[in-house]
Amino acid sequence: MSLLLAIESSCDDTSAAIIDHGMVKSNVTATQKIHEQYGGVVPEVASRKHQSNIIPVVTAALEQAGVEKEDLSAIAVTRGPGLLGSLIVGVSFAKALSISLDIPIIEVNHMMAHVLAHFAEDPKPEFPFLCLTVSGGHTQIVKINSPYEMEILGNTIDDAAGEAFDKTGKIMGLKYPAGPEIDKLAQKGKVVFEFPEPKIPGLDFSFSGLKTSILYFLKAQLKENPNFIEENLADICASVQDRIVTILINKLVVAAQQTGIKEVAIAGGVSANSGLRSAFENAGNQYGWNTYIPSFEYCTDNAGMIGVAAYYKFIQKDFADLSLVPDARMKF
Ligand code: KG4
Ligand code: ZN
């Protein structure tokens, strides 16, 4: 039998899931709304919220799956990368439960789990496949050779794509996280403002220059017209989104050409963006890719993907021991 409890607490979502032979039976996430008022995630607050959320979330995941904790075979937990204070809550909880139930722990890399989220549903990509992982903390192009072997082909050298949405949204006075709001407004606007595409060699990304150029552009416009943002909000959002999406898709196209891979996926919170989804599908049609986008539940941070990733380790009996500690900068 393989019944796993998976726990995710790397940033501001407390999540627990039950995975039965690699299939997600329940996936319960408590999102911490409290950070909206601060315009970003406050690490100490996130850590305390995880402490109060974790028992109700785990209890709900067990109940929804109709599973008793005594039936569990192992506990999977995100070891990193993420916020240290947030990771500590999940890892400590997993260790305590593993001692009390006398079952093993499986450590999971959060970024590998985003990529393996594609195996929570059908159709599943075939190996090797490429995945563009875009979230509030990461922007990577990964080549996945097997569930155990992945290679990062490109990475952001500064801000992540989600940060580019959130920070430009903040400049426009939008609430955190601004990504979903920009997406909504962009659908009503037109791409009329030109923002520069950064000249970064290879498959790496950079978004901090874009943020600065938008800031200077808006400052200049506001001098002429103090109502410029309100009057042009939808068009500014459409233009910002179009630029971020073009940067992402252009690099993904190069990665696919260089590797000759036609199985291509996107993952992470930003893959919920409607502009990115349609540009990705268009690129897929143009270049003959098989494209994969997980449902929203598996795009954002969730324990289901942690459990799916852990299942591959469970099969191999790749267990951690009680000396396990979080690794905020965990690499592949
Ligand atoms: O994967 P995720 O839930 O958490 C992290 O690991 O960061 O991603 C959150 C990020 C935020 O930056 C948020 O603004 C962005 O994903 N996001 C979006 C959309 N939905 C979420 N960005 C653009 N368009 C969206 N529809
Ligand atoms: Zn994430």
Side-chain angles (χ1 to χ4, degrees), residues 13 39 41-42 84 94 109 124 137 161 172 176 178 199 205 212 219 233 243 245 271 275 280-281 284 286 295 299 309:
D13 293 308
V41 176
V42 182
L84 190 59
N109 179 303
K124 298 174 173 52
M172 292 184 257
Y176 173 86
K199 300 271 175 285
F205 300 93
T212 313
K219 269 192 178 161
L233 191 57
R243 177 46 77 218
V245 168
S271 55
F280 177 61
E281 294 296 359
Q286 188 178 345
S295 2
C299 277

Side-chain angles (χ1 to χ4, degrees), residues 162-186:
E163 273 180 294
F165 276 105
D166 296 338
K167 288 181 177 174
T168 51
K170 196 171 179 180
I171 299 170
M172 292 184 257
L174 301 178
K175 264 200 330 203
Y176 173 86
E181 193 64 22
I182 291 182
D183 188 357
K184 238 187 272 161
L185 288 159

